């Protein structure tokens, strides 16, 4: 790893295939990490795929965002680098930022592998942060099999770069063992409590949904896939209902997957 002692502020490059304006856990994690490092006085650059709009290069406060050309596969969920002149120029710009540290989010995107190789070319041992706890789910058994094969293949290539592996949770650390990887520890997700509270919704969900104060209202947001805990949430609601607790669940999905709906604990199924 480079010695950052000659720099006034450590320069950090974070690779994240998906980034704002795309919405998701990895995107939020990267954005919050970049903001926290900036507050600590670091010079931060985020390298992402240009898959969901935004400028090719822009400033988010003191954080520079560089979006590389790509081909958006699987509805934008799996961007693949497009190795054209603009891509090479963007990578050259990243090299010119002279990073002292390189962080790569997730294993299974082509940009993740390129971020690891980029770090090695700079003489840096990269840090790879695992976010998953199961294979990617695309909603189709046939597609899932193909995606799993690609994930395993990319992970083997990642391992050749010998990054320092971390994870966002103990469950994610345990998932790394599935690929024969030992996690060095956890770098958990977190929020800025003051910013979160200031942006909280003022909506009255009980009033909107006609749910009285005598019922336990549980709100949840996320994709409708098993690894997001949908079945466990429904089962917990059913258990509480059987114990005499009146429960209503409200779960919001991404609009492209399914509209917002509520659950009645008596059936533990969407209503």
């Amino acid at each position: 790893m480079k010695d950052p002692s000659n720099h006034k502020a450590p320069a950090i490059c974070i690779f994240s295939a998906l980034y704002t304006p795309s919405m998701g856990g990895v995107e939020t994690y990267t954005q919050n990490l970049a903001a926290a490092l900036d507050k600590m006085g670091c010079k931060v650059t985020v390298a992402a795929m240009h898959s969901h709009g935004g400028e090719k290069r822009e400033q988010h406060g003191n954080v520079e965002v560089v979006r590389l050309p790509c081909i958006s596969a699987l509805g934008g969920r799996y961007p693949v680098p497009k190795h054209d002149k603009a891509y090479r120029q963007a990578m050259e710009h990243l090299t010119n930022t002279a990073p002292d540290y390189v962080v790569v989010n997730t294993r299974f995107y082509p940009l993740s592998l390129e971020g690891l190789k980029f770090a090695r070319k700079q003489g840096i041992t990269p840090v790879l942060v695992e976010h998953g706890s199961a294979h990617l789910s695309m909603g189709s058994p046939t597609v899932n099999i193909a995606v799993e094969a690609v994930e395993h293949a990319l992970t083997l290539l990642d391992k050749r770069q010998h990054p320092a592996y971390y994870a966002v949770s103990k469950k994610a650390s345990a998932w790394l063992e599935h690929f024969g990887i030992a996690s060095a520890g956890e770098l958990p997700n977190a929020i800025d409590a003051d910013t979160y509270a200031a942006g909280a919704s003022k909506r009255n969900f009980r009033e909107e949904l006609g749910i009285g104060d005598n019922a336990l209202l549980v709100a949840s947001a996320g994709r409708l896939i098993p690894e997001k805990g949908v079945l466990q949430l429904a089962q917990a609601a059913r258990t509480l209902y059987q114990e005499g607790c009146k429960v209503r669940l409200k779960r919001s999905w991404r609009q492209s997957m399914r509209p917002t709906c509520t659950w009645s604990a008596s059936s533990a199924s969407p209503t």
Side-chain angles (χ1 to χ4, degrees):
M1 185 174 291
K2 288 185 178 180
D3 179 4
S5 59
N6 294 327
H7 293 265
K8 292 183 179 180
I12 302 175
C13 185
I14 305 174
F15 281 82
S16 180
L18 298 176
Y19 191 65
T20 182
S22 173
M23 296 179 64
V26 176
E27 296 91 320
T28 301
Y29 181 96
T30 303
Q31 191 172 20
N32 288 339
L33 176 61
L37 290 171
D38 172 52
K39 287 182 180 180
M40 294 172 63
C42 299
K43 176 186 174 183
V44 184
T45 303
V46 174
M49 296 276 81
H50 200 182
S51 58
H52 288 76
E55 298 297 326
K56 294 179 180 178
R57 194 183 302 174
E58 62 184 345
Q59 292 291 137
H60 290 181
N62 294 323
V63 176
E64 182 182 24
V65 180
V66 178
R67 296 188 177 90
L68 296 90
C70 68
I71 299 171
S72 293
L74 300 177
R77 290 186 62 190
Y78 199 80
V80 179
K82 184 178 180 181
H83 294 103
D84 56 10
K85 182 178 179 180
Y87 186 92
R88 293 190 293 273
Q89 290 175 338
M91 291 299 288
E92 182 179 356
H93 174 75
L94 293 176
T95 299
N96 292 337
T97 65
D100 300 297
Y101 305 97
V102 174
V103 178
V104 177
N105 279 309
T106 70
R107 294 167 291 98
F108 44 75
Y109 291 104
L111 184 66
S112 301
L113 177 59
E114 301 206 5
L116 297 177
K117 290 181 176 180
F118 170 84
R120 286 301 181 186
K121 287 181 180 179
Q122 315 308 312
I124 299 169
T125 298
V127 171
L128 192 150
V129 183
E130 172 65 24
H131 288 254
S133 57
H135 283 296
L136 287 173
S137 176
M138 298 298 172
S140 166
T142 302
V143 175
N144 287 346
I145 291 173
V147 170
E148 286 181 20
V150 170
E151 182 176 356
H152 276 275
L154 275 173
T155 300
L156 285 174
L157 295 174
D158 290 344
K159 291 166 72 173
R160 294 179 183 177
Q161 304 303 316
H162 302 287
Y165 284 96
Y166 288 82
V168 298
S169 66
K170 291 188 180 298
K171 189 172 183 180
S173 284
W175 178 239
L176 283 174
E177 296 176 4
H178 174 74
F179 303 94
I181 298 170
S183 172
E186 286 75 46
L187 300 173
N189 253 318
I191 63 170
D192 182 317
D194 292 336
T195 301
Y196 179 79
S201 172
K202 304 299 182 182
R203 293 169 60 186
N204 187 329
F205 288 108
R206 288 186 179 276
E207 184 176 307
E208 289 182 24
L209 299 171
I211 300 174
D213 293 336
N214 63 331
L216 172 64
L217 173 61
V218 179
S220 176
R223 287 181 285 128
L224 187 61
I225 53 177
E227 53 264 39
K228 295 302 181 182
V230 177
L231 299 179
Q232 292 89 335
L233 184 62
Q235 184 57 52
R238 172 172 288 187
T239 299
L240 287 171
Y241 177 80
Q242 291 173 344
E243 293 178 355
C245 180
K246 186 176 181 181
V247 185
R248 291 295 298 275
L249 304 180
K250 182 180 186 297
R251 185 171 180 86
S252 295
W253 290 274
R254 289 183 178 180
Q255 188 174 358
S256 60
M257 298 191 67
R258 187 165 182 173
T260 299
C261 67
T262 62
W263 268 310
S264 168
S266 59
S267 62
S269 61
T271 61

